[in-house]
């Protein structure tokens, strides 16, 4: 029906047309008659939707009203019905339209056809060879199938009888990129009438399968960096590739295993960088940074590779130790090992304040403990010689750097002020004075002035003076250092006779130093009263003894007090030495006693006393042989008694008279020798007389005198 125009008789509201499914693609199916010449410039369009899959393709109509079949044809579309709305427009806003129904009729029996002439499928690449891809079926009698193109087909094959398409090789897109899309021309024909055939265009799309995760280099990152590494330093760049899709883009992510906080590392693309300052000087900050780099591919299913990252932050000795100057005060009489104070060194490197102390150059007076920093006194101090000492303390870090050559150090000055101790007593010049004064009644007179000082401390000038002895009747007093004698009416009675006073004046230092030391000066004053000059008689002089006032004298001596362990070691060493000497002495005494207790051997030599004679009178010459004669038997008997037996056991010899001995002035000695053997013959010679015995052992006596009677 057309609005505003005459009705066209050939276009009805419900027109229809019937066409076979074997119609040629693009063939004319129907004609719209437009008899009105005014409509020759009209435009004819199909306004209804022709969307697949219901429509195999769009129907078209030209300006002359010819309806044409789709370019894909209508094969396999039976028994579908297509409703097309046709709109005719001409002139200014004039139009008319109607509905055209196209019915597709089935092909006559005995002809081969596919339900659809074009088909597309998708398969994964991980199908093994021989896997079924799809089955195509055509209508007809005893239909057979074959692949026309590509020929030969490298990836697929079709069953001649069942139309099942199978894979003939691996579809690995990494190895065979051409297998991604394959267009198969499949022909179906009757076995008995091969000219009755039809073709099907089958598109096979192979999708990649994500079988391999990305591979990265390095696969493990273990490194160490110093804590002073700048922010933004690249630690490593990761190179990853996907075997499934080498040209694909990979995604990199960084995941930390530690507690949440400011990340010290960051990932910029494929580069791992330092993101924050790595400070080891904060407790717990210098440790190992554990993280992982995750690499994702874009395949299905998605696969991930994890690259472990372990970054060790090493400390660097950045700061030098320091210590604050100190001032210590010590008395000059302090003893050895006195603690003066301690130096506190600081080090900002971690671990904090691990320092050692030392004194460069060494000091004989002070010592610094290398661990605690305590300053102790070693030698004596003398305020008068040196009041101020300065000690340089060197502070060295102990664990700031493993290399001793890179250790840092600092120094500070310790000032030691020596406090004065009153260790010198005053000395008076002179220490002894003897004076004679003449007194007048009612008058006081100056006797002398005591002058005292401390030679070691010339600056000490304050002293106090007092009379500590000999001031009987209080006739003397002190005005500062001046000794004054008083002889007034209100004072003691007047002297009638001269007297002598032995005064003891103590001079003590009065300064702030303690203890207060003092000395005593002796002043002997002979007092002569004014009446003594008129009396020419005898003068009585009396010496006033000083009172027994005790005098306190302080003497300070320095002594060495050894450590208890040294005393114990010395005692043990002395005891061991005494025991060793006693053992040696006892061994010597036992050896001497054993030698004395051993019986005399037969080989011992006997000494006989020589007989000395005197020359002169005949009586003396006559008595000498007699004396010797009397002594000889006793000597021989003593010798025989010593040997046990003097005779032979086999024969008995009659006793013979002993020969007389003649005094020999030139040879007064008698020698006896003894020889020991199993059987020894000994000869006894007495003035030339020989006697022989066969005893087992017998002495041999020989008289060296040549005369015999």
């Amino acid at each position: 029906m057309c609005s505003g125009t005459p009705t066209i008789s050939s276009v009805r509201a419900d027109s229809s047309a019937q066409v076979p499914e074997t119609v040629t693609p693009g063939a004319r199916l129907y004609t719209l008659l437009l008899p009105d010449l005014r409509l020759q410039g009209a435009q004819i369009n199909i306004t209804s939707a022709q969307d697949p899959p219901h429509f195999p393709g769009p129907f078209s109509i030209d300006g002359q009203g010819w309806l044409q079949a789709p370019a894909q044809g209508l094969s396999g579309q039976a028994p579908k019905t297509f409703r097309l709305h046709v709109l005719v427009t001409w002139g200014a806003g004039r139009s008319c339209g109607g509905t055209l129904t196209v019915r597709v009729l089935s092909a006559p029996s005995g002809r081969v056809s596919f339900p659809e002439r074009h088909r597309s499928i998708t398969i994964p690449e991980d199908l093994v060879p021989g896997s079924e891809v799809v089955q195509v079926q055509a209508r007809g009698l005893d239909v057979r199938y074959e692949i026309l193109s590509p020929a030969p087909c490298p990836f697929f094959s079709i069953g001649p009888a069942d139309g099942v398409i199978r894979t003939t090789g691996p579809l690995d897109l990494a190895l065979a990129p051409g297998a991604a899309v394959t267009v198969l021309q499949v022909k179906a024909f009757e076995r008995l009438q091969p000219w009755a055939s039809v073709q099907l265009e089958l598109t096979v799309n192979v999708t990649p399968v994500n079988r391999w995760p990305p591979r990265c280099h390095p696969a493990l990152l273990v490194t160490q960096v110093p804590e002073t590494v700048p922010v933004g330093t690249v630690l490593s760049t990761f190179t990853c590739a996907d075997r499934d899709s080498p040209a694909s883009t990979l995604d990199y992510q960084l995941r930390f295993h530690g507690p949440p906080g400011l990340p010290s590392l960051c990932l910029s693309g494929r580069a791992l960088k330092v993101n924050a300052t790595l400070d080891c000087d904060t407790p717990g900050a210098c440790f190992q940074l554990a993280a992982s780099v995750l690499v994702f591919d874009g395949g299905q299913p998605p696969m991930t590779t994890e690259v472990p990252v372990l970054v060790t932050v090493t400390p660097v000795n950045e700061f030098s130790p320091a210590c604050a100057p100190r001032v210590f005060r010590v008395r000059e009489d302090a003893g050895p090992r006195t603690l003066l104070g301690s130096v506190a060194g600081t080090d900002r490197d971690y671990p904090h304040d691990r320092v050692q102390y030392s004194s460069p150059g060494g000091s004989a007076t002070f010592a610094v403990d290398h661990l605690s920093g305590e300053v102790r006194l070693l030698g004596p101090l003398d305020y008068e010689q040196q009041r101020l000492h300065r000690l340089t303390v060197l502070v060295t870090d102990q664990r700031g750097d493993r290399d001793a050559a890179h250790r840092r150090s600092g120094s500070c000055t310790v000032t030691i002020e020596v406090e004065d101790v009153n260790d010198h007593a005053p000395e008076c010049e002179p220490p002894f004075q003897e004076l004679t004064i003449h007194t007048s009644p009612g008058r006081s007179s100056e006797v002398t002035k005591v002058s005292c000082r401390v030679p070691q401390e010339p600056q000490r000038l304050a002293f106090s003076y007092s009379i500590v002895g000999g001031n009987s009747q209080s006739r003397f007093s002190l005005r500062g250092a001046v000794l004054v004698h008083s002889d007034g009416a209100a004072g003691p009675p007047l002297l009638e006779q001269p007297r002598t006073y032995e005064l003891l004046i103590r001079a003590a230092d009065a300064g702030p130093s303690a203890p207060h030391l003092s000395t005593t000066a002796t002043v002997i004053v002979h007092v002569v009263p004014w009446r003594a000059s008129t009396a020419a008689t005898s003068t009585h002089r009396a010496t006033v003894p000083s009172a027994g006032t005790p005098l306190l004298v302080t003497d300070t001596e320095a002594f060495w007090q050894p450590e208890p362990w040294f005393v114990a070691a010395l005692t043990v060493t002395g005891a061991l030495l005494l025991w060793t000497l006693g053992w040696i002495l006892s061994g010597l005494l036992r050896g001497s006693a054993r030698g004395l207790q051993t019986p005399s051997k037969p080989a011992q030599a006997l000494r006989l006393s020589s007989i000395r004679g005197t020359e002169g009178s005949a009586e003396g010459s006559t008595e000498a042989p007699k004396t010797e004669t009397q002594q000889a038997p006793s000597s021989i008997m003593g010798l025989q008694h010593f040997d046990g037996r003097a005779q032979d056991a086999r024969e008995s010899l009659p006793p013979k008279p002993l020969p007389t001995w003649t005094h020999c002035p030139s040879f007064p000695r008698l020698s006896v020798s003894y020889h020991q053997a199993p059987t020894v013959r000994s000869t006894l010679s007495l003035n030339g007389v020989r006697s022989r015995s066969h005893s087992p052992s017998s002495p041999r006596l020989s008289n060296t005198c040549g005369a015999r009677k």
Side-chain angles (χ1 to χ4, degrees), residues 59-328:
F59 291 84
S60 62
I61 189 171
D62 57 6
Q64 297 179 359
W66 288 101
L67 179 66
Q68 298 175 352
Q72 292 82 3
L74 297 177
S75 177
Q77 300 297 321
K80 289 184 179 180
T81 300
F82 303 96
R83 294 182 179 276
L84 304 176
H85 180 71
V86 180
L87 177 64
V88 181
T89 60
W90 73 94
R94 296 182 180 183
S95 63
C96 64
T99 302
L100 177 61
T101 302
V102 179
R103 293 184 176 86
V104 180
L105 302 177
S106 300
S109 58
R111 303 290 300 271
V112 181
S113 64
F114 282 106
E116 52 186 359
R117 302 292 297 272
H118 298 276
R119 188 175 179 184
S120 178
I121 61 172
T122 301
I123 61 174
E125 67 171 339
D126 59 348
L127 293 179
V128 298
S131 299
E132 181 178 347
V133 176
V134 69
Q135 183 179 15
V136 294
Q137 291 181 346
R139 291 187 293 267
L141 298 175
D142 197 7
V143 179
R144 295 292 184 266
Y145 304 92
E146 67 177 0
I147 297 177
L148 297 180
S149 66
C153 185
F155 304 110
F156 304 99
S157 64
I158 191 170
D162 57 3
V164 176
I165 299 177
R166 301 177 183 273
T167 60
T168 58
L171 303 178
D172 192 351
L173 297 179
L175 301 177
V181 178
T182 304
V183 179
L184 301 178
Q185 294 294 334
V186 180
K187 176 183 177 182
F189 59 92
E190 293 182 357
R191 184 176 64 84
L192 299 179
Q193 299 178 3
W195 57 87
S197 64
V198 68
Q199 295 182 7
L200 171 65
E201 184 179 282
L202 178 62
T203 303
V204 181
N205 299 306
V206 179
T207 59
V209 176
N210 205 10
R211 294 178 295 172
W212 304 98
R215 299 182 64 180
C216 298
H217 178 77
L220 172 66
L221 177 61
V222 178
T223 183
Q224 61 180 8
V225 294
E227 62 172 329
T228 55
V229 62
V231 176
T233 302
V234 177
L235 302 181
S236 179
T237 300
F238 298 94
T239 303
C240 301
D242 189 6
R243 293 178 55 185
D244 299 319
S245 180
S248 62
T249 302
L250 303 178
D251 183 24
Y252 297 83
Q253 295 181 9
L254 180 63
R255 183 179 65 185
F256 289 94
H257 301 302
L262 179 63
S264 302
L265 305 175
C266 66
L267 195 62
S268 177
R270 297 183 296 111
L272 182 64
K273 298 181 179 181
V274 177
N275 189 45
T277 302
L278 305 178
D279 188 7
C280 287
D281 300 326
T282 303
C286 192
F287 54 91
Q288 291 181 337
L289 303 176
S292 295
V293 176
L294 302 179
V295 184
F296 299 91
D297 58 10
Q300 292 297 330
M303 302 192 73
T304 306
T305 296
E306 181 177 0
V307 180
V309 176
L310 186 62
V311 180
T312 302
V313 183
T314 58
V316 177
N317 198 5
E318 302 178 81
F319 307 101
S320 298
C323 58
R326 298 294 305 274
V327 178
F328 301 142

